[in-house]
Amino acid sequence: MTRTDLSNVQVAKDYTGLCGLVADRIAALVQTKPNAVLGLATGSTPLGVYSALVRRHREEGLDFSRVTCFNLDEYYPMSPKSLHSYRQFMAMNLFDYINCPNWFVPDGLRRSASEIEQDCLEYEARIADAGGIDLQLLGIGRTGHVGFNEPGSSPDSRTRLVTLAEVTRQDAAPSFGGIDNVPRQAVSMGIGTIMDAREIVMMATGAGKAAIVRAAWTEDPTDHIPATWVRRHPNVHLRLDEGAASLLLEASLTN
Ligand code: PGA
């Protein structure tokens, strides 16, 4: 009988506690390594982390002036000026309020396939030039995607144009005013890009994520659930609130 390894899992009581845990880790890294390279995520999950970091910048002077940030993904096609863009999301929720001049989001502007390919190579090169990602923050989608690496993504994938799963588009539909307005594609760092980070913090909140969290942390690595690859990272930390942790904790007691 093998028990699920939960040594790298920490469960906070609620969303505020979860975001506090993750923000503390990011702040500690930035304090010990002022020129840290962060990989950041969008979606509703990390919002509380970003507001905690903004608060710590304002109240405690947490300094991001030498930090470099790379975001995981951007919808395609998507104007960087659109309020639906992840570029605007990051500006409105973090970068307009902290002193971090160097932040990058993949370019979602419509262009030729070869131009996109070239830009993806440049995104990878820019990460490498910055010294590689010290800490990659990840959410998890209901499909088990990380970034926009949907089921079928290979563990050695790099930044590229991807097709969004229907479930992912449905989840995004309310904020786009209907599924017909949700782009069908995105530009996303690959699983290989993510796995190159020196540390990964994956976070999930709420009972709606409990089933995929359990699958990600208990199933053998498989392209069908991209997050299962992440679990194999040598320095990965899963941070949950009680809702998101419920089925994983149950599984750890029964297997
Ligand atoms: P969410 O998205 O934070 O909005 O739930 C997570 C993800 O799709 O990675």
Side-chain angles (χ1 to χ4, degrees), residues 41-46 72-73 86 138-142 145-148 168 171 203 205 209:
T42 48
S44 54
T45 308
L72 285 164
D73 46 19
Y86 281 166
L138 292 179
I140 179 170
R142 283 198 298 142
H145 72 202
V146 287
F148 273 137
T168 298
D171 284 348
M203 60 184 298
T205 174
K209 293 286 173 72

Side-chain angles (χ1 to χ4, degrees), residues 1 26 33 40 45 64 73-74 91 105 113 117 128 140 151 155 190-191 196 199 232-233:
M1 202 161 71
I26 294 174
K33 186 175 181 187
L40 297 180
T45 308
F64 293 89
D73 46 19
E74 179 60 278
V105 179
E117 209 171 305
I140 179 170
I191 296 173
D196 282 350
E199 176 178 351
R232 288 294 159 107
H233 189 281

